[in-house]
PDB file of all heavy atoms in Angstrom:
ATOM      1  N   ALA V  52       1.454  50.579  -8.373  1.00 90.00           N
ATOM      2  CA  ALA V  52       2.023  49.226  -8.456  1.00 90.00           C
ATOM      3  C   ALA V  52       3.222  49.265  -9.374  1.00 90.00           C
ATOM      4  O   ALA V  52       3.244  50.015 -10.367  1.00 90.00           O
ATOM      5  CB  ALA V  52       0.994  48.234  -8.976  1.00 90.00           C
ATOM      6  N   ASN V  53       4.234  48.485  -9.075  1.00 90.00           N
ATOM      7  CA  ASN V  53       5.423  48.454  -9.918  1.00 90.00           C
ATOM      8  C   ASN V  53       5.239  47.473 -11.073  1.00 90.00           C
ATOM      9  O   ASN V  53       4.214  46.770 -11.188  1.00 90.00           O
ATOM     10  CB  ASN V  53       6.673  48.133  -9.087  1.00 90.00           C
ATOM     11  CG  ASN V  53       6.592  46.749  -8.443  1.00 90.00           C
ATOM     12  OD1 ASN V  53       5.658  45.983  -8.703  1.00 90.00           O
ATOM     13  ND2 ASN V  53       7.560  46.431  -7.607  1.00 90.00           N
ATOM     14  N   ASN V  54       6.250  47.423 -11.929  1.00 87.00           N
ATOM     15  CA  ASN V  54       6.166  46.563 -13.114  1.00 87.00           C
ATOM     16  C   ASN V  54       6.062  45.083 -12.745  1.00 87.00           C
ATOM     17  O   ASN V  54       5.401  44.300 -13.439  1.00 87.00           O
ATOM     18  CB  ASN V  54       7.387  46.795 -14.009  1.00 87.00           C
ATOM     19  CG  ASN V  54       7.382  48.165 -14.650  1.00 87.00           C
ATOM     20  OD1 ASN V  54       6.318  48.754 -14.843  1.00 87.00           O
ATOM     21  ND2 ASN V  54       8.563  48.686 -14.977  1.00 87.00           N
ATOM     22  N   ALA V  55       6.740  44.663 -11.660  1.00 87.00           N
ATOM     23  CA  ALA V  55       6.702  43.250 -11.262  1.00 87.00           C
ATOM     24  C   ALA V  55       5.278  42.825 -10.925  1.00 87.00           C
ATOM     25  O   ALA V  55       4.853  41.706 -11.256  1.00 87.00           O
ATOM     26  CB  ALA V  55       7.636  43.016 -10.065  1.00 87.00           C
ATOM     27  N   PHE V  56       4.493  43.739 -10.258  1.00 88.00           N
ATOM     28  CA  PHE V  56       3.111  43.399  -9.935  1.00 88.00           C
ATOM     29  C   PHE V  56       2.279  43.285 -11.208  1.00 88.00           C
ATOM     30  O   PHE V  56       1.418  42.414 -11.326  1.00 88.00           O
ATOM     31  CB  PHE V  56       2.512  44.449  -8.997  1.00 88.00           C
ATOM     32  CG  PHE V  56       1.106  44.144  -8.570  1.00 88.00           C
ATOM     33  CD1 PHE V  56       0.856  43.271  -7.519  1.00 88.00           C
ATOM     34  CD2 PHE V  56       0.010  44.713  -9.229  1.00 88.00           C
ATOM     35  CE1 PHE V  56      -0.441  42.980  -7.131  1.00 88.00           C
ATOM     36  CE2 PHE V  56      -1.288  44.418  -8.852  1.00 88.00           C
ATOM     37  CZ  PHE V  56      -1.512  43.542  -7.796  1.00 88.00           C
ATOM     38  N   GLN V  57       2.536  44.164 -12.168  1.00 83.00           N
ATOM     39  CA  GLN V  57       1.797  44.087 -13.433  1.00 83.00           C
ATOM     40  C   GLN V  57       2.048  42.741 -14.118  1.00 83.00           C
ATOM     41  O   GLN V  57       1.134  42.113 -14.661  1.00 83.00           O
ATOM     42  CB  GLN V  57       2.219  45.239 -14.345  1.00 83.00           C
ATOM     43  CG  GLN V  57       1.855  46.623 -13.819  1.00 83.00           C
ATOM     44  CD  GLN V  57       2.230  47.723 -14.803  1.00 83.00           C
ATOM     45  OE1 GLN V  57       1.971  47.597 -15.999  1.00 83.00           O
ATOM     46  NE2 GLN V  57       2.839  48.791 -14.297  1.00 83.00           N
ATOM     47  N   GLU V  58       3.306  42.308 -14.109  1.00 83.00           N
ATOM     48  CA  GLU V  58       3.623  41.009 -14.719  1.00 83.00           C
ATOM     49  C   GLU V  58       2.969  39.867 -13.929  1.00 83.00           C
ATOM     50  O   GLU V  58       2.531  38.867 -14.505  1.00 83.00           O
ATOM     51  CB  GLU V  58       5.137  40.821 -14.760  1.00 83.00           C
ATOM     52  CG  GLU V  58       5.850  41.794 -15.694  1.00 83.00           C
ATOM     53  CD  GLU V  58       7.360  41.644 -15.633  1.00 83.00           C
ATOM     54  OE1 GLU V  58       7.834  40.764 -14.871  1.00 83.00           O
ATOM     55  OE2 GLU V  58       8.059  42.400 -16.330  1.00 83.00           O
ATOM     56  N   MET V  59       2.911  40.053 -12.614  1.00 83.00           N
ATOM     57  CA  MET V  59       2.354  38.997 -11.767  1.00 83.00           C
ATOM     58  C   MET V  59       0.877  38.762 -12.077  1.00 83.00           C
ATOM     59  O   MET V  59       0.419  37.626 -12.191  1.00 83.00           O
ATOM     60  CB  MET V  59       2.533  39.385 -10.298  1.00 83.00           C
ATOM     61  CG  MET V  59       2.069  38.341  -9.297  1.00 83.00           C
ATOM     62  SD  MET V  59       2.414  38.879  -7.606  1.00 83.00           S
ATOM     63  CE  MET V  59       0.975  39.876  -7.288  1.00 83.00           C
ATOM     64  N   VAL V  60       0.112  39.847 -12.234  1.00 81.00           N
ATOM     65  CA  VAL V  60      -1.322  39.698 -12.497  1.00 81.00           C
ATOM     66  C   VAL V  60      -1.622  39.704 -13.988  1.00 81.00           C
ATOM     67  O   VAL V  60      -2.778  39.484 -14.393  1.00 81.00           O
ATOM     68  CB  VAL V  60      -2.121  40.807 -11.799  1.00 81.00           C
ATOM     69  CG1 VAL V  60      -1.941  40.720 -10.295  1.00 81.00           C
ATOM     70  CG2 VAL V  60      -1.712  42.191 -12.304  1.00 81.00           C
ATOM     71  N   ASP V  61      -0.577  39.926 -14.800  1.00 79.00           N
ATOM     72  CA  ASP V  61      -0.707  39.897 -16.254  1.00 79.00           C
ATOM     73  C   ASP V  61      -1.785  40.870 -16.741  1.00 79.00           C
ATOM     74  O   ASP V  61      -2.638  40.522 -17.563  1.00 79.00           O
ATOM     75  CB  ASP V  61      -1.014  38.472 -16.726  1.00 79.00           C
ATOM     76  CG  ASP V  61      -0.810  38.316 -18.237  1.00 79.00           C
ATOM     77  OD1 ASP V  61      -0.022  39.113 -18.809  1.00 79.00           O
ATOM     78  OD2 ASP V  61      -1.437  37.415 -18.828  1.00 79.00           O
ATOM     79  N   PHE V 137       4.923  41.479  -2.300  1.00 93.00           N
ATOM     80  CA  PHE V 137       4.729  40.066  -2.654  1.00 93.00           C
ATOM     81  C   PHE V 137       6.079  39.454  -3.036  1.00 93.00           C
ATOM     82  O   PHE V 137       6.707  39.909  -3.990  1.00 93.00           O
ATOM     83  CB  PHE V 137       3.764  39.933  -3.836  1.00 93.00           C
ATOM     84  CG  PHE V 137       2.409  40.522  -3.580  1.00 93.00           C
ATOM     85  CD1 PHE V 137       2.133  41.845  -3.902  1.00 93.00           C
ATOM     86  CD2 PHE V 137       1.401  39.759  -3.017  1.00 93.00           C
ATOM     87  CE1 PHE V 137       0.890  42.400  -3.678  1.00 93.00           C
ATOM     88  CE2 PHE V 137       0.142  40.306  -2.786  1.00 93.00           C
ATOM     89  CZ  PHE V 137      -0.117  41.632  -3.118  1.00 93.00           C
TER      90      PHE V 137
END
Side-chain angles (χ1 to χ4, degrees):
N53 62 6
N54 291 334
F56 182 82
Q57 295 183 45
E58 293 176 1
M59 183 177 85
V60 298
D61 194 24
F137 301 91

